[in-house]
């Protein structure tokens, strides 16, 4: 991460004020005054602003990532690349977690943070945060699928039906499903229970916050203060 960005994350400085502090010689990296804003900082570096160490002040951090297929929502994995490797401009990646998970082959919106209570407000079933998925199916969808999703579907090996959701048809084999739970492989299992098979799955939104159209697969950005507070509030 660039030195000026690091300063904005670890202090109250804006990017331009961080540049001023650097040019004025008020920033030391590993005991040397540094006057270049673009110097790359890593986790081993000690950064002082006005003589004060900044290292532990980073966070809380909130990001949205456009997850590509082939990446896993875990902090480490022996077989697959983990989503955190896509956060190329961030440090202390081990402090971050994904807010819920998407399967290896699922694409779309993943929220990432280091704020546990905030993540809990999004994932806790009590808070009924909605998640919208675009779903591509192997077979034309049966006629009463909307009704079954609305009343709840009994998944294999589960005791209770799914909570009411909504289904919007785009074509016979393409739909948008909105649900407010996050059971294991829930979307794939719901369509399996409807006699179908998901061939492609993309998450479009969580808690009313949509994946930013400007983010290509693999790109991420910080959430806005409005998005952070909207997601952190229980919807009921
Ligand atoms: N439901 C699934 O089946 N897979 C996902 O990745 C997300 C929801």
């Amino acid at each position: 991460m660039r030195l000026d960005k690091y300063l904005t994350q670890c202090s109250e400085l804006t990017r331009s004020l961080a540049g001023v502090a650097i040019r004025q010689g008020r920033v030391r990296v590993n005991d040397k005054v540094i006057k270049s804003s673009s110097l790359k900082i890593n986790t081993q570096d000690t950064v002082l602003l006005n003589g004060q160490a900044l290292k532990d002040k980073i966070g809380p951090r909130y990001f949205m990532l456009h997850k590509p297929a082939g990446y896993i929502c875990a902090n480490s994995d022996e077989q697959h690349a983990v989503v955190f490797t896509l956060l190329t401009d961030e440090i202390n990646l081990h402090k971050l977690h994904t807010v819920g998970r998407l399967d290896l082959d699922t694409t779309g919106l993943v929220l990432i943070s280091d704020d546990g209570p905030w993540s809990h407000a999004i994932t806790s079933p009590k808070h009924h945060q909605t998640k919208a998925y675009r779903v591509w199916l192997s077979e034309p969808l049966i006629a009463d699928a909307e009704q079954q999703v609305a009343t709840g579907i009994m998944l294999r090996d589960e005791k209770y039906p799914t909570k009411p959701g909504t289904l919007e048809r785009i074509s016979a084999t393409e739909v948008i499903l909105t649900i407010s739970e996050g059971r294991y492989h829930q979307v794939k299992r719901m369509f399996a229970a409807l006699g179908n098979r998901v061939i492609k799955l993309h998450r479009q939104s969580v808690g009313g916050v949509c994946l930013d159209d400007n983010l290509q697969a693999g790109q991420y950005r910080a959430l806005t203060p409005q998005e952070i507070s909207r997601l952190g509030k229980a919807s009921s």
Side-chain angles (χ1 to χ4, degrees), residues 133-135 137 139-149 166-178 191 194 196:
Y133 295 89
R134 189 152 184 159
V135 189
L137 299 164
E139 311 297 328
L141 192 62
I142 56 173
D144 70 340
E146 285 88 342
Q147 205 187 327
Q148 290 200 45
V149 168
T166 60
L167 195 60
E168 186 193 326
R169 277 179 212 246
I170 295 171
S171 73
T173 55
E174 205 178 321
V175 298
I176 293 174
L177 173 72
T178 304
F191 285 98
L194 294 171
N196 216 314

Side-chain angles (χ1 to χ4, degrees), residues 102-103 106 133 185-188 201:
L102 291 182
D103 296 338
T106 302
Y133 295 89
H185 293 326
Q186 180 160 343
V187 177
K188 292 173 185 166
L201 186 55

Side-chain angles (χ1 to χ4, degrees), residues 45-63:
D45 294 324
T46 303
V47 181
L48 304 185
L49 171 64
N50 302 326
Q52 260 209 315
L54 296 175
K55 200 158 192 135
D56 292 325
K57 287 196 187 153
I58 206 158
R61 293 178 285 173
Y62 307 92
F63 303 107

Side-chain angles (χ1 to χ4, degrees), residues 51 64 81 89 101 110 122 125 135 142-143 170 196 198 206 212 226 228-229:
M64 70 158 69
D89 209 17
R101 287 164 180 236
V110 173
I122 299 166
V135 189
I142 56 173
I170 295 171
N196 216 314
V198 172
V206 174
D212 191 327
Q226 292 76 16
I228 295 164
S229 76

Side-chain angles (χ1 to χ4, degrees), residues 64-171:
M64 70 158 69
L65 167 73
H66 184 165
K67 179 191 173 298
Y71 284 78
I72 201 152
C73 292
N75 286 81
S76 63
D77 191 85
E78 303 212 327
Q79 275 188 300
H80 304 286
V82 299
V83 288
F84 298 100
T85 59
L86 297 165
L87 274 57
T88 46
D89 209 17
E90 310 307 321
I91 58 171
N92 286 347
L93 295 176
H94 64 281
K95 292 194 176 170
L96 295 168
H97 56 258
T98 61
V99 182
R101 287 164 180 236
L102 291 182
D103 296 338
L104 182 70
D105 55 349
T106 302
T107 60
L109 176 60
V110 173
L111 299 170
I112 293 178
S113 180
D114 52 7
D115 181 343
W118 179 81
S119 305
H120 181 72
I122 299 166
T123 53
S124 165
K126 271 198 270 168
H127 294 157
H128 310 291
Q129 295 274 27
T130 56
K131 287 158 255 195
Y133 295 89
R134 189 152 184 159
V135 189
W136 289 261
L137 299 164
S138 64
E139 311 297 328
L141 192 62
I142 56 173
D144 70 340
E146 285 88 342
Q147 205 187 327
Q148 290 200 45
V149 168
T151 50
I153 293 178
M154 204 64 212
L155 302 179
R156 227 174 125 178
D157 300 329
E158 298 250 359
K159 285 201 185 114
Y160 305 103
T162 55
K163 293 214 175 99
T166 60
L167 195 60
E168 186 193 326
R169 277 179 212 246
I170 295 171
S171 73

